[in-house]
Amino acid sequence: MALDFLILYEHVVREYESLLLLKLELERRGYSVEIHQLLDRKKLKYITWKRPKVLVSSCMYDDEAINSHVYNNVGKCQKVVNLHWEQMLSDTQEKGEWFNFNGNAKRCVQTCWGELTQKRLLAHGIEEKNCPVTGAVMMDFLRPEFKGYFKTKEQLCQEFGLDSNKKLLLYISSFGYASMTEQEVKELSEMAGEDFTGFAHTNKVSMEQTLAWFDQYLTTHPNEQLVYRRHPSEWNCAELEQLAAKHSNFHIIFADSVKQWITAADNIFIWMSTAIAEVYFAQKSCHILRPVPIEHQFDPVIYKNAKYVTNYEQFEQAAQQENPVFPIEKEIIEGYFDKSDRPAYLQMADLLEDVRKNPPRDNPFAPPFKPHFNLLKYCALVGVHILFALKLPPKKVFSFCKPLADFSQRIYGYVEKAHISKQDAKKMEQRIRPFVK
């Protein structure tokens, strides 16, 4: 029996909670839904008896993405909807080709969190039928309808061994480029057609100085605790581990959603993450830490003209401030994140239901696009998943060949970060279910 919707995800902490909410609503409407990770091994059922009517992706920038995310998972599919998880761009990125979709990606349905993103896509040649405004599903959990969904500060602290009687500071990191090698930065630059070398350096310098602020602050304020929340694309590093070893009140925690930590924290700090919108929708405030300027071509437009903390003295003062003024204008936030009276997950479910019921809006596989099956990637993923199941790190298995060991270990790391057990997924679903009515 054919599947109605197959939803692909990339990052657990960024996407899975929202996808479960969407899945439960679609199932409530009578549809069959499954969730699949982008780097999961390819499954025969999705191109045969369980081929989905609609493929829902996490990103869809160009023909290669259609080939990799759609064709290599389910074969040809004319109903492709992109949840479009990366919508907060810099002014340069908003004008460039990559983030405005190339080739047949323009024929997929590219969902928009707000009207400003829709206007940008329309200006870059995407038809209105292919760029509807749905709102951002992840913000729904912060709506009044979901009151009681999140754990209290006391519950969260107990779960992670923190002291609920002490001030809880939260830092939402975005230093994904700081852990990338020069080769990885080069490959990304070539793929996107933009040089990320300088921005990678800014990541590293910003991270170093921010951690130096934390070091000084935690030394002089031992009765406060700081949770460092890694970005999904960020890896643990020696600097973080050294700071955690030095300060018992510094905690690197990646578990649970960023919204959960936002609702529980007493003070919130951020660098350039789009999670600042979640802080806004949670009706809380935060401070933006910018020890060094960010190149405008990489700084999200939502941060334009925002108020920044640029030195340690300002940071220490900010950490002691209660109820600060939100650092970004309301009109900017709500222009990129639609604040509708109706939850976004219902609007998104309406869209998916419409796509499922009606003829294709467009044809992502129209000429001159020619799909091809990536046998090398298929075999590599099978091999990495076997090693992951056996808990055999590639760096040890392939120690005789460093290039192969490094390449395999990187993929292994992505698979490990994106993994969620069936038991944990079930618990998360049971937690969400009472709010879907």
Side-chain angles (χ1 to χ4, degrees), residues 134-171:
T134 60
V137 176
M138 65 277 197
M139 301 303 175
D140 286 340
F141 293 95
L142 301 168
R143 295 177 63 94
E145 296 95 320
F146 285 79
K147 184 179 180 181
Y149 175 74
F150 292 108
K151 305 163 193 170
T152 64
K153 177 185 175 182
E154 289 71 24
Q155 291 171 324
L156 193 65
C157 286
Q158 182 178 14
E159 182 177 343
F160 289 95
L162 307 176
D163 190 341
S164 61
N165 294 314
K166 293 182 178 180
K167 181 185 287 187
L168 177 60
L169 307 179
L170 171 67
Y171 183 69

Side-chain angles (χ1 to χ4, degrees), residues 193-224:
E194 187 170 6
D195 188 0
F196 287 88
T197 305
F199 183 51
H201 177 71
T202 299
N203 270 248
K204 292 176 182 178
V205 174
S206 297
M207 184 176 186
E208 288 171 359
Q209 293 197 26
T210 300
L211 293 183
W213 291 0
F214 294 165
D215 185 13
Q216 185 174 349
Y217 186 84
L218 294 173
T219 299
T220 55
H221 298 82
N223 290 323
E224 298 182 21

Side-chain angles (χ1 to χ4, degrees), residues 222-396:
N223 290 323
E224 298 182 21
Q225 52 200 344
L226 192 153
V227 169
Y228 182 98
R229 174 72 182 195
R230 288 191 294 111
H231 186 272
S233 63
E234 187 179 341
W235 303 85
N236 272 342
C237 63
E239 292 82 359
L240 284 175
E241 292 171 355
Q242 288 167 5
L243 194 60
K246 181 177 180 180
H247 297 284
S248 60
N249 51 344
F250 180 76
H251 309 273
I252 309 163
I253 302 177
F254 192 53
D256 227 316
S257 71
V258 69
K259 291 184 288 297
Q260 172 63 79
W261 289 101
I262 286 171
T263 57
D266 296 306
N267 292 73
I268 303 167
F269 301 93
I270 208 161
W271 183 47
M272 60 173 287
S273 172
T274 57
I276 195 165
E278 291 167 277
V279 177
Y280 176 83
F281 277 82
Q283 299 183 27
K284 304 188 79 169
S285 191
C286 63
H287 291 280
I288 304 169
L289 306 188
R290 293 285 177 91
V292 298
I294 295 176
E295 296 89 334
H296 79 91
Q297 64 266 38
F298 297 107
D299 199 8
V301 290
I302 201 171
Y303 281 90
K304 187 177 182 180
N305 299 323
K307 298 175 183 178
Y308 305 135
V309 171
T310 59
N311 58 56
Y312 176 75
E313 289 70 27
Q314 292 176 351
F315 166 64
E316 185 173 33
Q317 184 180 6
Q320 299 301 312
Q321 187 177 2
E322 294 184 7
N323 303 316
V325 175
F326 200 81
I328 296 175
E329 295 295 329
K330 170 185 175 181
E331 292 73 20
I332 297 177
I333 290 282
E334 294 186 8
Y336 282 100
F337 294 88
D338 181 58
K339 198 173 183 182
S340 172
D341 291 335
R342 194 159 184 261
Y345 82 94
L346 295 178
Q347 298 183 64
M348 184 68 76
D350 289 346
L351 170 67
L352 293 177
E353 187 172 35
D354 180 77
V355 170
R356 168 67 180 84
K357 286 182 175 180
N358 294 302
R361 299 187 177 196
D362 219 325
N363 182 11
F365 286 84
F369 175 56
K370 295 180 180 179
H372 62 277
F373 183 73
N374 193 326
L375 182 61
L376 178 61
K377 184 176 182 179
Y378 172 84
C379 295
L381 286 176
V382 170
V384 168
H385 276 278
I386 290 174
L387 294 177
F388 181 72
L390 297 174
K391 298 182 179 180
L392 296 174
K395 61 183 178 182
K396 293 183 178 180

